[in-house]
Structures are given as structure tokens and as C-alpha cells.
Amino acid sequence: MKKYLIAVVYTVLLALFTLYTVMDTFKAGTSTDFDLPRTLAKYTSTPTPVPALTAAPVVTATPSVAASKSETLTPTPTPTATPTIEPTWSADGYIDSNMSVKISRYREYESDIYVVDAVVNSADLLKTAITGVNKRGDYIWDYVSNISNSYDDLIISINGDCWKHKTTGYSIKNGVILRDTYTTASNGFITKEEPRQETLVLWADGSASIVKEGDYTAQELIDKGAWQLFNFGPALINDGENVAKTSFTTVDVANSRHPRTAIGLKDDLHYVFIIVDGRNGSTNRGVTCSQLAEFGMSLGIKYLYNLDGGGSATLYFQGEVLNKPCRKEGKIGEVTVTDIVYIGY
Amino acid sequence: MNRLFHRNSFVYLLISLFILLTGFIYELFSHGIYSMSMIYAYTPTLILGTLLNAVLERLKAYAPGSITKQIWHCGVATVTVGMLLNGIFQIYGTANKLLNLYYIIGPLLLATAAILYLTKDRNVKEQ
């Protein structure tokens, strides 16, 4: 024993350190608000069209975002208009003067699919939130439900593009550039067919575009009015055209069936979230990216972009997770992420 | 024939095969998400263990001393555990800066053992 003292002591230390690292990695965090701005205050020239709500109630209030022309970022939540319709919650939606949120359930591709239609009267009602950092400066990973609970005025949320999962690639959240480097091959949906990472930009005027990194710098996108930039991919629908490739030669995960989360746009200021359950035997098989694009086309979606899926695919509404997140086959339960997308004030 | 090198080479080969199999099984259930770190986690034990010992045996090199040997094993173990852990984290979709320590301490231990071996801590050349 004494002969191998160094090895024995070191093995014990290595095991303990490994255990600590695992626990440190997989524990859910608690600090969530990273003080991203929540209004379009810095977009001084933002047009503020009032959308036609597809749901029954009629919007009477005009958004007041344009009146706020401060050049500084304002992290304090600022309602965009004084509601004149009483906020009304139901099992499948929410409505007030500034937004209409409707959740629809579908059964397609042997999977439960949730579609959220959110019609808002200002682009800053669609927000992202990221987790805070720990003492070492690592971003904390937390459940969508935990992050969502940190926001009192959150109506509905989904997981985002898990921006800290990657170390490269543009990232813009609530008008703030979090990263401005190009995506590298190991970090994104870069394929032989498409060597530049496709991102989804949601503009401050409520429109959307699929933008490839390198077309503009992150700062140029901000200058043009980018409110959110999602960086995961691949793009599924671009300007009404199904752009999902039938095969991603270097990205097998796109071709196989998994739980999915996608974000899209039906019309200006009409956002769509799609959450597909999967990895649960024949109950929910999940979808390929091509199937997801096909489904989006059937709904008349103009822009659709694949976000972080797999076990991360989560839809949170009224204090509960509506779908069945599944990281491992048949094992239902949320996994931790670093950001969410939500509709709220 | 140097029995130590021969035995070490064989043990490292078994460990390499075990890690290769573990990585393969893990990748089977990773839903198509691959990690190079997990796939190649068997290489440190194969190269720094099996192959190195085989080469030293063939060269009829001096056997390392006990301390050198232990430090070397610790270095190989650290790098291997780091790669496996990194693979698990990548497949899960997360990361941790603490992993960098494996890639710093592991090579440091290997370098220390190499220096010790080349300078003083080695046994009499076995025939």
C-alpha cells in the first residue's frame, strides 16, 4: 500500500474532484436575471404598427414605444401601453390590450405538437432572458420553469438557442450583443451545403429575416434594428419557402427524429413557437428538421428557425410545463438551459 | 524481455478497450449527438500506455522508478477522465471551466514523470 501511496492518494483526489465537477455542472442554478434590457428604448426610429389580432378581442390601445427615445438602455420593465382590455387567462391562452397568446395542440408525425401564436403590438413584448453567472464566471444552467418564475410579467416561455452551449457565433438578445464571432464547424449547423451559419433575426419593427453570419457584423445588425438574433439552426422556412434540406450531410442530428423547439413568424408582430415532444417510444417520436419545416409550411408560417431541441424543448405557461421534455428515451423531465424566449412585459 | 513494460502494455490495452467500448455504448444512446472527446477518449491510454510501453520494451529501455511510474499513471488517468467527462458534458449540451484543469494537470504530471525518468528516477536496465 505504502509503495503506491502517491497513486492511491491522487486517485482519491481525482475521484473527489470529478464528483465535484459533475455536481457543479448538473445542479440547477438560482441566479437568473442578467439585466438584459426589456424595451426597445434604444431603437429611436422603430416603427410601431398595431397588428390585427387573429383572436376575438379588438386592440384599442396604441403602443407607446415610439415615444420612448432614450439613447440609454433601460433594464426596468416598461409596459408598452396601458391595457384597456382586462388581462384574461384561459387554459389555452392569454389576452390583453397588447397581446394575444393562443396555444394549439396537434397530433402529427406520431408526436404531440404545441403551437403558440403570439400576436403582439410591439416587438419588445417578445423577449429573451439569460441566466446569471456564478463566482467563477460560468453561466449558470437552470430549468426553463425556474428562469421563467423569475419574471413576474412573463406570460409564456420556451427554451431558447442555449447560447452558452456554444463558444462561437453571433448572439443578440434584447438588443444587446452577447457575442460577435463567427460560428465554427463544431459549434453550429454548418454543413457542406451551407458553410456559413444561418441565424434568425427578429427586428425591432416586428419583422424577421434569416441572416447568414458574415452578411453583416453583429453591430451592423444592431444598427439596422435587430432586437433578437437566434443562433442554433438550421433555418427551416425563409420568406415562405421551405429551406430545410432533405439531408444534412454533416449534421446527422437534423435528419433523425427528436424533440424540437422552433420559433417563427407568420406575419409582422405575429410570432409562432412550435414545441414537439419526442424520445418517448411510440407515444412521441419527435420530428426531423425537414418534418418540422413541412409542418410549419402547413400552418402558413413565413419564417421558421430551429432552436435548441432534444431534452431542452420546453413550453412553460401558467406555472407549469405543458409539454413532456425528454432528454433520455422515456425519461420525462426538464433539463437545464442558459436562456429562454418569452412573451411578456 | 522487460516484464514491467510488457505487463503495463497489456493492462493499458485492456483499459483502452474498456474505454473504447464505454464511449461506443454512450454514443449509441446519445441521440445522434457526437463528441470527439468521447470517441477518442481511449487514445491517451493506448498511446501513452500501450504503445509507449511496447516501444520502451522493444528498445530495452530502463524501467522507471516507482514514483515516476505512479506519476505517469496519474497523468494518463487525469487526461482520460477529463476527455470522458468532457464527452459526457458535450453530449448533454453543457460545459464547465473546471474541465480545463484536467488538461493542465494531466500533461503537467506526464511532463514531470518524463523529466524524472530522463534524469534520475529509473531502475537498472533490465535485460
Side-chain angles (χ1 to χ4, degrees), chain A residues 52-55 92-95 99-106 114-120 126 155-156 158 262 264-267 269-275 295-296 299-302 315 317 343:
Chain A
L53 284 177
T54 49
D92 58 359
Y94 170 87
I95 194 158
M99 69 176 77
S100 160
V101 175
K102 189 173 187 314
I103 305 163
S104 309
R105 291 166 171 82
Y106 295 82
Y114 300 79
V115 176
V116 178
D117 280 275
V119 182
V120 297
L126 183 143
I155 307 299
I156 192 164
I158 59 170
L265 195 84
K266 261 189 182 172
D267 211 339
L269 293 169
H270 183 163
Y271 302 105
V272 182
F273 303 153
I274 300 178
I275 290 84
F295 179 71
L299 298 178
I301 293 171
K302 278 168 67 178
L315 172 63
F317 180 64
I343 301 289

Side-chain angles (χ1 to χ4, degrees), chain A residues 3-7 10 14 17-18 20-22 24-26 136-138 141 165 252-253 258 279 327 335, chain B residues 31-34 66-67 70-71 74 77-78 81 85 88-90 92-98 101-102 105 109:
Chain A
K3 191 180 169 189
Y4 299 107
L5 189 63
I6 294 174
Y10 187 80
L14 183 65
F17 181 71
T18 301
Y20 173 77
T21 307
V22 170
D24 183 67
T25 306
F26 292 111
R136 285 195 311 275
D138 287 330
W141 293 65
H165 181 204
D252 291 340
V253 74
H258 292 287
R279 293 182 185 167
R327 191 179 81 82
V335 303
Chain B
H31 302 289
I33 301 162
Y34 300 105
S66 174
I67 293 174
Q70 289 181 66
I71 294 175
C74 290
T78 306
V81 171
L85 213 51
I88 292 168
F89 289 178
Q90 283 181 341
Y92 183 82
T94 185
N96 194 320
K97 282 182 184 163
L98 290 174
L101 285 176
Y102 290 90
I105 294 172
L109 289 170

Side-chain angles (χ1 to χ4, degrees), chain A residues 167-317:
Chain A
T167 52
T168 60
Y170 290 4
S171 183
I172 297 174
K173 301 206 179 294
N174 295 4
V176 173
I177 299 172
L178 299 181
R179 201 167 47 217
D180 61 359
T181 54
Y182 290 151
T183 300
T184 50
S186 59
N187 266 216
F189 268 92
I190 292 176
T191 64
K192 284 176 184 167
E193 301 92 336
E194 181 45 71
R196 284 191 297 151
Q197 176 79 354
E198 296 169 321
T199 68
L200 175 73
V201 177
L202 300 183
W203 303 98
D205 65 359
S207 60
S209 306
I210 299 294
V211 174
K212 290 176 187 171
E213 287 177 355
D215 285 348
Y216 304 97
T217 64
Q219 185 56 52
E220 282 170 345
L221 289 169
I222 287 284
D223 295 341
K224 286 175 179 292
W227 169 240
Q228 309 286 352
L229 181 146
F230 296 105
N231 195 333
F232 196 91
L236 304 172
I237 301 174
N238 186 5
D239 201 13
E241 185 187 346
N242 184 340
V243 292
K245 296 146 187 86
T246 49
S247 68
F248 293 86
T249 52
T250 54
V251 192
D252 291 340
V253 74
N255 297 323
S256 42
R257 297 176 71 154
H258 292 287
R260 303 275 178 193
T261 297
I263 186 169
L265 195 84
K266 261 189 182 172
D267 211 339
D268 286 1
L269 293 169
H270 183 163
Y271 302 105
V272 182
F273 303 153
I274 300 178
I275 290 84
V276 184
D277 280 341
R279 293 182 185 167
N280 196 8
S282 56
T283 312
N284 285 304
R285 293 192 58 201
V287 293
T288 65
C289 281
S290 302
Q291 288 170 328
L292 188 54
E294 195 177 82
F295 179 71
M297 289 292 288
S298 73
L299 298 178
I301 293 171
K302 278 168 67 178
Y303 294 91
L304 191 64
Y305 188 79
N306 186 49
L307 294 178
D308 182 21
S312 305
T314 307
L315 172 63
Y316 187 76
F317 180 64

